[in-house]
Amino acid sequence: MFVNTQMWLFVLILHVSDSEQAVFAKDSKKSNILYLLADDLRPTLGCYSDPVVKSPNIDQLASVSTVFHNAYAQQAVCGPSRVSFLTSRRPDTTKLYDFNSYWRVHAGNYTTLPQYFKSNGYTTLSVGKVFHPGIASNHSDDYPYSWSVPPYHPPSFKYEKRKVCKDKDGTLHSNLLCPVDVSEMPLGTLPDMENTAEAVRLLDSMKDSQNPFFLAVGFYKPHIPFRIPREYLKLYPIENMTLAPDPDVPKKLPDVAYNPWTDIRKREDVQALNLSFPYGPIPKDFQLQIRQHYFASVSYVDAQVGIILQALDDFGLAKNTIVVFSSDHGWSLGEHGEWAKYSNFDVATRVPLIVYKPGVTSPLSRPGEKTFPFVDVFQGTREQFGKGQGVESVVELVDVFPTLSNLAGLRPLRRCPASSFKMELCTEGFSVDDLIRIPERHHNREAYSFSQFPRPSDSIQENSDLPDLADIRVMGYSIRSTDYRYTLWVGFDPLHCQPNMTDIHAGEMYLLAEDPGQDNNVFDEFDHATVLHKLGILPSWTESLKHHIMFLSSGLKSKGIM
């Protein structure tokens, strides 16, 4: 009896030991990454206190996440922004300001975010628009460097710019406003629906994998054209739509700063308006329709996000997957008399940035409890979710790469030196994982974001929105703090991708406490001469603008303005 008791005790100890090791192995397994990326999405979301847009699934994600309220892109155009945040390098380091070069050839062999995870044992997967297609990603979405298998592109995307928008008389057009009956579309579907189905399929295939995964899903909306299921317009009755609060071009806005929205002018329904160049304006009734269709596109994307997040739950992956939701840049909806992106204003550079880490940003769900049940926006009730863990300090998209690396427990990235063209792996951003692990106690008013935008001339031209590199003659370098948006438009050498910070063409300065919409340019009201002469000798334009803004800040405080 004693011998048997000893034997069973030994077996029990072995069982408990094995169980503890199994639990430890499970807990120590690397976190998966799900990176959800919208296209041209400004923070018009319920979780960002937008009073109009219905985004219940993204709001639900935000309620258990850290929500960065002041996150900014480095250039408000798709290709340059995506290469920037996927390499954690600024456009002057990637040398990509248009769509016409591949950074590994034109600038340096920089390691990308998915490539870094791939080198650390992750299966990396791409669905939809993650890198910008074409030359900017070597016509391969940077495969095989960044991805374990060739990226997925939805077959129906080839119809995106074709004449598929039905007019009242039944004729087909290539329009800006393009609500459709999905069953009538070529292939009977839409690109983001196909992206969602493929993302769900990949999650299913990875649920039992021994390797962690990095899955990036790039939605095509709310990028124009607004080819979306017609039913989403019902969420936004046109009689409830309002114009932008500041629909006029600011009187003191330099010509070089204005974006003439040439891309939407190419659509047949906009051409029919016979608008003058460069200011228009667009008739008010059409402005309301643009805003209606943009908001409806956001709700359409929200539904796709909800389907994917529910699948994450259903496959048992929500407890071990870090989720990021963001965008490549914003989009002007009539503010400053502008439409589209292509500027340094907040409406073009500010993006949503939401990060969920299980057990960190919120407690783990109880057994049987769902974290992300799908919310049907058409049910008519506006779900009330918590606001999540808000961060007010300014952050940048170049911060995402080092932040995700730290959250996943990978080796931290080192900061790039002043010149890093020959350095494959480093970051020009900062990890903000501490703001995710520990709630923000003090709003850091000394945090800055930096953006830039190229122009071919001081005057407004047909190619002002997106000049080719060879045509760039002026670069608008902008710094955004809690209190200011400050921009210098300076001479630029496209051959060497080099600015001349002492060749000032124009300037903008907005005091955000009294001018949050950035409509009153007070640049000419301040004496800049005492600091401008120093800008040419500082190591980088980011340091130059930071130095300048600190000088102006001290001057404002001495006058009692701040």
Side-chain angles (χ1 to χ4, degrees):
M1 184 71 176
F2 178 72
V3 174
N4 287 339
T5 302
Q6 279 190 321
M7 182 182 70
W8 284 112
L9 181 61
F10 179 68
V11 170
L12 180 62
I13 291 172
L14 282 178
H15 176 73
V16 171
S17 176
D18 288 344
S19 298
E20 287 178 343
Q21 288 180 8
V23 169
F24 176 77
K26 186 175 181 181
D27 290 344
S28 61
K29 183 182 178 181
K30 291 179 180 178
S31 295
N32 303 310
I33 307 292
L34 175 61
Y35 196 166
L36 303 173
L37 186 61
D39 198 352
D40 288 16
L41 177 63
R42 57 195 259 171
T44 48
L45 300 165
C47 53
Y48 282 84
S49 301
D50 189 281
V52 176
V53 170
K54 298 174 176 65
S55 53
N57 292 287
I58 297 171
D59 296 349
Q60 180 174 241
L61 171 63
S63 71
V64 293
S65 302
T66 296
V67 180
F68 292 90
H69 290 284
N70 289 289
Y72 295 89
Q74 276 47 77
Q75 186 177 329
V77 67
C78 302
S81 176
R82 289 166 186 263
V83 169
S84 174
F85 65 72
L86 288 168
T87 62
S88 197
R89 312 289 183 104
R90 303 183 188 281
D92 278 356
T93 306
T94 66
K95 298 184 179 181
L96 182 67
Y97 314 99
D98 52 20
F99 301 144
N100 302 322
S101 66
Y102 180 42
W103 78 91
R104 294 188 191 275
V105 174
H106 189 59
N109 188 29
Y110 309 141
T111 300
T112 69
L113 169 60
Q115 181 183 2
Y116 188 53
F117 276 79
K118 182 183 176 187
S119 70
N120 279 275
Y122 279 70
T123 300
T124 56
L125 306 162
S126 173
V127 172
K129 186 178 179 181
V130 180
F131 284 97
H132 195 279
I135 298 173
S137 58
N138 201 33
H139 299 283
S140 66
D141 285 17
D142 199 44
Y143 174 79
Y145 295 102
S146 290
W147 310 110
S148 301
V149 297
Y152 171 84
H153 293 287
S156 66
F157 183 73
K158 65 183 178 182
Y159 301 102
E160 192 72 358
K161 295 182 180 180
R162 297 190 186 179
K163 294 179 182 291
V164 295
C165 311
K166 186 180 290 186
D167 211 341
K168 293 179 180 179
D169 60 3
T171 58
L172 298 179
H173 300 273
S174 178
N175 287 345
L176 173 67
L177 311 180
C178 189
V180 300
D181 295 319
V182 176
S183 62
E184 297 179 356
M185 287 295 96
L187 306 182
T189 187
L190 292 174
D192 281 336
M193 291 179 171
E194 291 185 285
N195 283 340
T196 298
E198 178 65 8
V200 172
R201 187 192 72 79
L202 289 173
L203 289 173
D204 189 16
S205 71
M206 294 300 296
K207 66 176 186 262
D208 297 319
S209 175
Q210 295 303 306
N211 289 339
F213 65 80
F214 180 109
L215 171 60
V217 183
F219 302 106
Y220 291 100
K221 297 301 166 212
H223 193 291
I224 62 170
F226 300 124
R227 186 166 75 110
I228 59 171
R230 187 182 307 278
E231 56 266 29
Y232 283 92
L233 290 182
K234 297 177 183 177
L235 298 171
Y236 304 95
I238 194 67
E239 61 268 20
N240 294 347
M241 294 296 98
T242 60
L243 299 175
D246 51 350
D248 298 322
V249 180
K251 294 180 180 179
K252 298 180 182 179
L253 184 71
D255 285 349
V256 71
Y258 186 74
N259 125 52
W261 32 280
T262 51
D263 54 353
I264 74 168
R265 294 173 187 268
K266 299 173 184 176
R267 312 292 166 167
E268 290 183 36
D269 51 350
V270 178
Q271 289 177 345
L273 299 174
N274 196 27
L275 303 173
S276 63
F277 185 88
Y279 298 114
I282 293 175
K284 291 182 179 180
D285 62 335
F286 201 86
Q287 290 189 41
L288 295 175
Q289 291 183 68
I290 295 176
R291 290 170 66 86
Q292 175 198 35
H293 281 69
Y294 184 91
F295 299 150
S297 298
V298 175
S299 292
Y300 168 53
V301 170
D302 177 80
Q304 311 314 306
V305 170
I307 293 169
I308 294 172
L309 290 177
Q310 179 172 271
L312 195 74
D313 249 346
D314 292 344
F315 297 141
L317 296 167
K319 292 184 178 181
N320 192 43
T321 301
I322 297 169
V323 180
V324 181
F325 177 82
S326 190
S327 173
D328 51 358
H329 45 71
W331 210 79
S332 298
L333 283 167
E335 296 88 356
H336 315 112
E338 295 182 332
W339 303 86
K341 48 248 185 183
Y342 312 122
S343 81
N344 283 315
F345 284 121
D346 277 15
V347 286
T349 57
R350 185 170 171 241
V351 296
L353 179 58
I354 301 169
V355 182
Y356 165 74
K357 181 170 173 61
V360 175
T361 58
S362 64
L364 292 173
S365 58
R366 294 187 293 271
E369 183 182 38
K370 295 293 186 181
T371 306
F372 303 117
F374 179 78
V375 185
D376 187 349
V377 72
F378 292 103
Q379 289 301 310
T381 58
R382 185 146 185 160
E383 293 283 343
Q384 297 297 320
F385 295 106
K387 292 297 184 182
Q389 181 178 298
V391 173
E392 298 298 328
S393 297
V394 171
V395 299
E396 306 181 273
L397 285 185
V398 286
D399 299 335
V400 172
F401 188 164
T403 299
L404 271 183
S405 300
N406 286 7
L407 286 177
L410 306 186
R411 180 170 52 85
L413 273 64
R414 62 174 293 187
R415 280 278 293 171
C416 295
S419 178
S420 62
F421 295 111
K422 296 182 179 180
M423 187 171 292
E424 293 187 7
L425 180 63
C426 64
T427 175
E428 293 184 345
F430 293 94
S431 175
V432 293
D433 66 300
D434 57 324
L435 295 175
I436 296 170
R437 299 180 190 278
I438 303 172
E440 183 182 47
R441 294 174 182 170
H442 303 289
H443 177 183
N444 181 8
R445 305 186 76 86
E446 299 302 318
Y448 304 98
S449 74
F450 302 94
S451 62
Q452 60 190 99
F453 209 90
R455 299 289 191 217
S457 169
D458 290 337
S459 59
I460 304 170
Q461 300 181 174
E462 289 283 348
N463 65 338
S464 287
D465 284 350
L466 192 60
D468 292 337
L469 173 59
D471 296 327
I472 298 173
R473 294 295 180 271
V474 186
M475 187 70 73
Y477 290 103
S478 190
I479 182 171
R480 173 59 154 87
S481 71
T482 299
D483 302 310
Y484 316 98
R485 160 83 56 194
Y486 181 77
T487 305
L488 286 180
W489 295 91
V490 302
F492 188 81
D493 173 9
L495 182 63
H496 302 96
C497 296
Q498 187 68 38
N500 180 353
M501 296 302 294
T502 61
D503 178 21
I504 310 296
H505 291 230
E508 300 169 77
M509 185 171 182
Y510 305 99
L511 307 181
L512 301 177
E514 59 193 53
D515 182 24
Q518 300 163 27
D519 297 297
N520 182 29
N521 180 14
V522 297
F523 182 84
D524 291 335
E525 297 179 20
F526 296 90
D527 179 15
H528 304 265
T530 54
V531 70
L532 285 177
H533 73 279
K534 297 181 180 179
L535 297 186
I537 61 174
L538 290 172
S540 69
W541 72 265
T542 57
E543 290 300 316
S544 297
L545 288 193
K546 190 184 298 184
H547 184 85
H548 197 178
I549 203 73
M550 290 172 65
F551 174 84
L552 292 173
S553 177
S554 62
L556 289 171
K557 288 177 181 178
S558 67
K559 296 177 181 179
I561 298 176
M562 295 297 300

